[in-house]
């Protein structure tokens, strides 16, 4: 596909995200369907790309699942466990879209993220496991799935792709999934650790930026 194709698609996506920003007063007002509309559009745009079938459908499905998760979270914030499971499923779908590209695992990154997750989960859940074990397990599993996707993307970026030759796409994917990890970390800390000022703004910004990067990465790679 020519550069104008994905550029125009990202312009559409960015314009819709900008509309959400304006209509929700800088992401402060609740507007469930409006919030997810840009990512639903991104899923539809993905299906129009001339990508290989497998990564195309996995990528589009990941966008649809994460959009549904955001909608559910906006409607009912008490369903945090279910939302995280849906987001985890979204990351698994996206991981499947590029898993064949992994040449070898970047051990240093995996160890670093393991230490990071250990500290994060202990800080958030050390006193909560006995009182709400199911929720703690679901949230812990979610952040581990996101971290696994980051390790896979980082490994492709660090060692090169086994099936494609686009380092730019590898970089975009790595940054996009790091943004997802940051988003999930802030969400956990905001709920169970330290409250952040303007957390809705930061989470929404990371969410829209990360999905755009993940779209562009797979478009360039496949």
């Amino acid at each position: 596909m020519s550069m104008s194709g994905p550029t125009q698609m990202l312009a559409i996506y960015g314009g819709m995200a900008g509309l959400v920003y304006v209509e929700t007063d800088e992401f402060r007002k609740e507007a469930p369907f409006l919030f997810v509309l840009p990512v639903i559009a991104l899923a539809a745009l993905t299906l129009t790309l001339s990508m290989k079938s497998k990564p195309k459908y996995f990528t589009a499905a990941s966008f649809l699942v994460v959009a549904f998760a955001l909608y559910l979270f906006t409607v009912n914030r008490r369903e945090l466990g279910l939302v995280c499971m849906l987001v985890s499923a979204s990351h698994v779908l996206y991981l499947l879209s590029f898993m064949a590209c992994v040449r070898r695992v970047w051990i240093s990154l995996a160890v670093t993220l393991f230490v990071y997750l250990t500290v994060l989960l202990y800080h958030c859940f050390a006193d909560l496991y006995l009182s709400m074990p199911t929720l703690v397990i679901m949230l812990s599993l979610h952040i581990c799935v996101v971290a696994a996707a980051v390790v896979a993307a980082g490994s492709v970026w660090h060692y090169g792709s086994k099936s494609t030759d686009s380092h730019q796409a590898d970089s975009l994917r790595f940054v996009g999934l790091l943004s997802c990890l940051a988003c999930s970390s802030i969400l956990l800390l905001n709920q169970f650790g330290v409250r952040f000022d303007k957390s809705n703004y930061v989470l929404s910004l990371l969410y829209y930026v990360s999905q755009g990067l993940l779209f562009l990465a797979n478009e360039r790679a496949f």
Side-chain angles (χ1 to χ4, degrees):
M1 178 177 287
S2 65
M3 283 296 294
S4 61
T7 300
Q8 291 172 355
M9 290 180 180
L10 283 178
I12 293 171
Y13 174 69
M16 295 180 72
L19 178 64
V20 175
Y21 175 82
V22 172
E23 292 296 322
T24 59
D25 190 21
E26 300 180 0
F27 305 126
R28 285 194 286 260
K29 296 179 181 178
E30 299 291 350
F33 183 71
L34 191 60
F35 269 123
V36 303
L37 197 56
V39 181
I40 293 175
L42 205 58
L45 291 171
T46 301
L47 294 175
T48 69
L49 295 173
S50 56
M51 293 167 56
K52 297 176 183 177
S53 296
K54 183 177 178 180
K56 177 195 292 187
Y57 293 129
F58 277 134
T59 304
S62 73
F63 292 145
L64 288 175
V65 173
V66 78
F68 177 66
L70 177 63
Y71 178 83
L72 185 62
F73 182 66
T74 308
V75 170
N76 186 1
R77 293 181 181 269
R78 294 182 179 180
E79 296 290 346
L80 184 59
L82 177 58
V83 168
C84 284
M85 288 298 97
L86 287 170
V87 177
S88 298
S90 169
H91 281 290
V92 170
L93 288 168
Y94 192 83
L95 178 60
L96 291 172
S97 75
F98 74 92
M99 192 67 186
C101 298
V102 178
R103 190 184 302 272
R104 55 183 293 196
V105 176
W106 188 5
I107 300 298
S108 297
L109 177 62
V111 171
T112 300
L113 287 180
F114 176 78
V115 173
Y116 168 74
L117 292 184
T118 300
V119 174
L120 176 67
L121 294 177
Y122 180 81
H123 175 73
C124 292
F125 301 135
D127 299 327
L128 297 176
Y129 179 75
L130 294 179
S131 59
M132 50 179 70
T134 302
L135 180 61
V136 169
I137 291 172
M138 293 172 73
L139 296 178
S140 300
L141 179 61
H142 160 69
I143 199 77
C144 289
V145 168
V146 180
V150 172
V151 171
S155 299
V156 174
W157 173 79
H158 188 65
Y159 293 113
S161 173
K162 189 166 64 174
S163 56
T164 65
D165 187 23
S166 177
H167 189 67
Q168 184 184 45
D170 301 338
S171 301
L172 291 170
R173 185 185 298 113
F174 188 28
V175 173
L177 285 169
L178 280 173
S179 299
C180 291
L181 181 61
C183 189
S184 295
S185 299
I186 292 172
L187 180 62
L188 289 185
L189 286 169
N190 207 40
Q191 294 289 328
F192 303 101
V194 180
R195 298 286 297 182
F196 289 89
D197 292 333
K198 297 184 177 180
S199 59
N200 281 348
Y201 175 82
V202 174
L203 287 170
S204 298
L205 186 63
L206 285 172
Y207 167 75
Y208 288 123
V209 169
S210 64
Q211 300 308 303
L213 290 174
L214 296 181
F215 165 83
L216 189 58
N218 275 7
E219 185 279 330
R220 295 285 176 87
F222 304 110

